[in-house]
Amino acid sequence: MNKLTKNIWIIATITFLTFGIITLFNSPAQKPKEISLSELATQINDEKVSSIIIKNNNLEIELSDKTKEKAIKETDSSLTQSLASYGVSAEKLQGIKLEVKTDSGATAWAAAILPFLLPFILIGAFLWFMMRQAQRGNSQALSFGTSRARMIDPKDKKNRITFADVAGAQEAKEELMEIVEFLKHPKKFLEMGAKIPKGVLLLGSPGTGKTLMSRAVAGEAQVPFFNISGSEFVEMFVGVGASRVRDLFKQAKKNAPSIVFIDEIDAVGRHRGAGLGGGHDEREQTLNQILVEMDGFETNTSVIVIAATNRPDVLDPALLRPGRFDRRVTMDLPDIKEREAILKIHSKGKPLEESIDLKIIAQRTPGFSGADLANLLNEAAILTTRRNKKMISNQELRESIEKVMLGPERRSRAINKKEQEIIAYHEAGHALVASSLKNADPVQKISIISRGRAGGYTMSVPQEDKRLESRAHFIDELATLLGGYVSEKITIGDITTGASNDLERATHLARNMVTRFGMSDLGARTFGKKEEMIFLGREMSEEKDYSERTADQIDKEVSRLIEDARQTAENILIKRKDVLKKIANELLEKETIEKEEYDKLIGIKEENQEEKE
């Protein structure tokens, strides 16, 4: 409709312009005065006429003073005869320039026909535009069921990605190298009687590089790569998704060997029969078509489907059985060595100062995915540009870590001196408790500058990556979380809302220790079963497999763990109240304390020696 409206406006504009131009050319700037033949005869006798142009019966008169006039002669007689009857002598006419002009045949026909033909031309142009729109609409309707997949040509070296461009994930690369071999040399596997795998399911958290890894497989095998999202199959019209699936696999088979990559396959691959539309809704028909294409009658097509999801638990069992997704590759969050390698790849093309050690940046970013690390370096480059610097320094990298984790600084946020003092003691309490406990993560930085929703923050990062957490670490973590709460109570004699998030995290951790990890006196078992229900939104529900008496015991155990942690934090802060005050005063003066300065401030080396003794 928008294009039709636009075309109508174009036609109307052309029409008005055409009539305007015709009117402009047919209308002279100064309209000549119309006179009678008797007046013309009088002017000729008075020798006021300079020239006369005769066009059929029309007379264009020019006087001696360059004035223009017009008149109409008699039809049946010539101009000379007509003027003679009005008393004009032949001698008077000899002094006037007479010129006779006749219209050509084409001009006469154009003058006669054009006024009638122009409306028909405009109507024909309008109908032509309408027919063109109708044909375009029909072509769009016919292409509605075609695939929306984007193909990356293996010959396009500019966009080609190989395993060398993907840092870390060594096990995933080794698993996927089999797929590359299948695509490069399918004949030797078929001669051995081996079946080419139909599908590979990439599992992992968002940002771990599932899409990048699938493109690397296509780049290594140098085969066409068809990329589409699961949500692009589903439309409001029934059968469109299945049609697009058929068209996608048709294109892939035509370009075989090839790779089809379906991102976020859980959009169409969820359990069948669990939706609001029964067993015949559009999503389930699309899934059925995918299942048929992956395990149909054609068994020798060199088309491999790679799918990615971070929700494998909701996928239909038919997708996961052998013969469909034969390989399942888990993309984990990178460890410290892999994070360093990822940082090196994403730092290409970015000018870094020689003093920057990417290993230290990798140590400060546990839990960061590959996408987070790429974003970190990008934020550092943006921050460096804004400061009109030529090289990225450690300062920009550290600030970018905090920005990715907590959000941008909010220095403009107005905080009075009393609140600033409370925040300083709160963060100093977190830091001092963490530094005093053996199993807590070491403090890397303390700041009372507001970031995101936090008034201040204490950054504690483990020295090395850990896959397993111990009970001792959780106990010390609880005390660290309550350090800010206890510090406020000791120093200002009151409690503020600043500790609300700490209390929420501590309660959640303590409850998980009791109900999930078996780290309490209630024994080695779990309590309750959490289930996720998606109905008009996302909702978590818990199935209780314990009695009300056990529920009371769980609550008491959670409260005991939190109270023990609070008591531990209180003993530390009362004992080292002078150090707490020193840290808070330093924060009020400088707003931010880095690890090296903090270690010197509290004498952390001397304390370690005392603990060993």
Side-chain angles (χ1 to χ4, degrees):
M1 288 301 293
N2 291 334
K3 290 183 177 179
L4 180 60
T5 305
K6 182 180 177 182
N7 290 332
I8 291 173
W9 276 108
I10 291 172
I11 294 172
T13 304
I14 292 172
T15 303
F16 284 122
L17 287 174
T18 303
F19 279 116
I21 292 169
I22 293 172
T23 305
L24 181 64
F25 278 98
N26 289 337
S27 301
Q30 184 178 0
K31 190 174 181 180
K33 180 182 177 182
E34 188 170 352
I35 61 175
S36 64
L37 281 176
S38 59
E39 290 175 330
L40 175 60
T42 303
Q43 291 177 349
I44 293 173
N45 290 328
D46 294 339
E47 297 182 352
K48 293 181 178 180
V49 179
S50 172
S51 65
I52 299 174
I53 298 174
I54 305 168
K55 290 184 178 179
N56 298 325
N57 293 329
N58 297 316
L59 303 177
E60 295 179 3
I61 306 160
E62 183 177 353
L63 303 180
S64 300
D65 59 357
K66 304 300 183 182
T67 304
K68 302 288 185 180
E69 293 179 345
K70 65 179 182 178
I72 300 175
K73 76 178 185 66
E74 295 175 353
T75 306
D76 298 332
S77 60
S78 65
L79 178 62
T80 307
Q81 293 174 347
S82 298
L83 291 176
S85 63
Y86 284 98
V88 178
S89 64
E91 292 80 8
K92 295 290 185 179
L93 286 174
Q94 289 179 357
I96 299 172
K97 181 181 178 183
L98 296 176
E99 184 180 353
V100 179
K101 288 186 177 180
T102 58
D103 293 333
S104 64
T107 306
W109 275 98
I113 296 176
L114 189 60
F116 299 98
L117 192 61
L118 184 61
F120 290 101
I121 293 173
L122 294 175
I123 292 171
F126 177 76
L127 292 175
W128 179 76
F129 274 112
M130 293 289 289
M131 293 294 292
R132 186 180 177 187
Q133 289 294 323
Q135 290 177 359
R136 185 176 297 176
N138 290 334
S139 64
Q140 289 177 351
L142 293 174
S143 64
F144 196 65
T146 58
S147 171
R148 300 292 194 269
R150 294 152 305 273
M151 189 185 84
I152 298 177
D153 196 330
K155 297 178 182 178
D156 186 4
K157 295 183 179 180
K158 184 178 180 181
N159 295 318
R160 184 185 173 192
I161 294 175
T162 63
F163 284 150
D165 301 309
V166 184
Q170 193 60 39
E171 293 80 6
K173 289 180 183 178
E174 292 175 359
E175 183 75 16
L176 292 171
M177 274 304 297
E178 292 184 11
I179 306 300
V180 175
E181 287 295 320
F182 276 126
L183 290 170
K184 277 187 173 181
H185 311 289
K187 188 176 179 181
K188 68 177 183 180
F189 289 98
L190 293 173
E191 289 175 351
M192 190 61 64
K195 292 183 179 180
I196 297 175
K198 296 295 182 65
V200 179
L201 187 62
L202 299 179
L203 313 173
S205 304
T208 49
K210 300 184 289 293
T211 304
L212 187 67
M213 186 65 78
S214 64
R215 288 188 61 183
V217 173
E220 288 286 340
Q222 297 185 18
V223 297
F225 179 80
F226 293 87
N227 178 24
I228 193 169
S229 173
S231 60
E232 293 182 62
F233 289 116
V234 182
E235 291 282 353
M236 65 179 291
F237 301 107
V238 176
V240 173
S243 174
R244 289 180 178 176
V245 171
R246 287 192 294 270
D247 186 66
L248 171 62
F249 279 87
K250 181 180 178 181
Q251 293 180 37
K253 290 171 184 176
K254 188 184 296 183
N255 293 276
S258 60
I259 290 177
V260 173
F261 176 67
I262 305 176
D263 200 7
E264 304 297 343
I265 194 174
D266 51 276
V268 292
R270 289 176 176 269
H271 283 278
R272 287 173 291 179
L276 296 176
H280 299 284
D281 65 344
E282 169 65 0
R283 181 184 58 78
E284 294 189 3
Q285 288 193 25
T286 306
L287 173 58
N288 291 338
Q289 189 63 43
I290 293 175
L291 297 177
V292 170
E293 292 290 346
M294 290 187 66
D295 193 19
F297 293 102
E298 299 179 35
T299 57
N300 295 325
T301 55
S302 300
V303 177
I304 293 179
V305 183
I306 300 179
T309 181
N310 49 17
R311 294 295 311 279
D313 53 307
V314 302
L315 294 180
D316 193 277
L319 270 177
L320 304 177
R321 75 161 176 81
R324 298 235 167 85
F325 284 101
D326 302 279
R327 301 283 190 277
R328 299 183 199 175
V329 179
T330 302
M331 301 289 293
D332 291 321
L333 291 171
D335 57 25
I336 185 170
K337 291 182 179 179
E338 291 172 340
R339 289 198 299 273
E340 184 180 357
I342 293 171
L343 287 169
K344 287 180 180 178
I345 286 179
H346 289 296
S347 64
K348 292 178 180 178
K350 295 181 175 65
L352 302 179
E353 289 186 353
E354 294 182 0
S355 60
I356 289 178
D357 188 355
L358 293 179
K359 185 176 181 181
I360 296 175
I361 304 301
Q363 288 176 347
R364 285 201 169 197
T365 52
F368 274 43
S369 65
D372 291 330
L373 295 171
N375 187 34
L376 185 155
L377 284 168
N378 185 58
E379 290 290 346
I382 293 172
L383 191 59
T384 304
T385 306
R386 287 171 56 190
R387 292 176 177 175
N388 296 320
K389 297 171 69 175
K390 301 297 183 183
M391 305 282 283
I392 300 174
S393 66
N394 278 306
Q395 182 181 358
E396 282 76 37
L397 285 172
R398 289 179 176 179
E399 289 185 27
S400 298
I401 293 173
E402 295 156 23
K403 185 175 181 180
V404 172
M405 293 176 66
L406 302 169
E409 286 186 352
R410 299 172 62 189
R411 289 184 177 272
S412 60
R413 185 178 179 183
I415 302 176
N416 58 49
K417 290 185 178 180
K418 181 63 177 177
E419 285 189 357
Q420 200 169 26
E421 184 180 354
I422 294 172
I423 294 172
Y425 274 104
H426 182 100
E427 300 304 331
H430 283 307
L432 188 56
V433 172
S435 302
S436 303
L437 295 173
K438 180 180 179 181
N439 299 296
D441 295 330
V443 176
Q444 300 289 335
K445 184 176 182 177
I446 319 170
S447 177
I448 58 172
I449 298 173
S450 177
R451 277 188 180 273
R453 298 174 60 185
Y457 57 94
T458 300
M459 185 183 294
S460 298
V461 179
Q463 292 181 335
E464 56 185 17
D465 291 334
K466 293 183 289 185
R467 299 292 181 185
L468 301 174
E469 298 288 357
S470 64
R471 182 179 185 276
H473 172 73
F474 283 149
I475 293 294
D476 289 357
E477 182 68 18
L478 282 174
T480 301
L481 287 170
L482 293 170
Y485 172 86
V486 174
S487 178
E488 289 182 13
K489 195 172 183 180
I490 291 174
T491 54
I492 66 174
D494 199 0
I495 300 168
T496 68
T497 57
S500 61
N501 182 252
D502 298 330
L503 297 178
E504 184 179 346
R505 291 168 58 194
T507 304
H508 182 70
L509 176 58
R511 180 164 288 276
N512 278 341
M513 290 175 65
V514 176
T515 61
R516 293 283 171 267
F517 307 140
M519 296 179 178
S520 69
D521 294 340
L522 295 184
R525 62 158 291 186
T526 62
F527 299 92
K529 181 180 179 182
K530 287 189 176 181
E531 294 181 350
E532 182 178 350
M533 298 180 64
I534 301 178
F535 180 79
L536 302 179
R538 183 172 178 174
E539 185 178 323
M540 296 295 295
S541 63
E542 182 175 355
E543 179 186 348
K544 292 179 66 174
D545 57 357
Y546 49 87
S547 64
E548 293 298 327
R549 180 181 177 184
T550 304
D552 183 59
Q553 292 176 339
I554 291 172
D555 291 339
K556 288 180 180 178
E557 191 67 16
V558 171
S559 298
R560 184 187 67 80
L561 288 171
I562 293 176
E563 178 58 27
D564 289 348
R566 187 200 65 79
Q567 191 63 49
T568 301
E570 186 174 335
N571 293 337
I572 292 171
L573 296 179
I574 290 176
K575 182 181 178 181
R576 309 186 66 181
K577 195 171 183 179
D578 55 336
V579 180
L580 178 67
K581 187 175 181 180
K582 187 192 298 184
I583 298 170
N585 289 335
E586 193 76 10
L587 280 172
L588 289 170
E589 181 181 348
K590 297 183 177 180
E591 293 186 331
T592 300
I593 304 176
E594 292 287 349
K595 174 178 171 56
E596 298 79 9
E597 189 178 357
Y598 174 75
D599 290 346
K600 292 179 182 178
L601 187 66
I602 65 172
I604 196 168
K605 294 182 180 180
E606 297 178 2
E607 292 172 12
N608 288 340
Q609 290 177 357
E610 290 176 4
E611 287 177 4
K612 290 179 181 179
E613 292 175 0

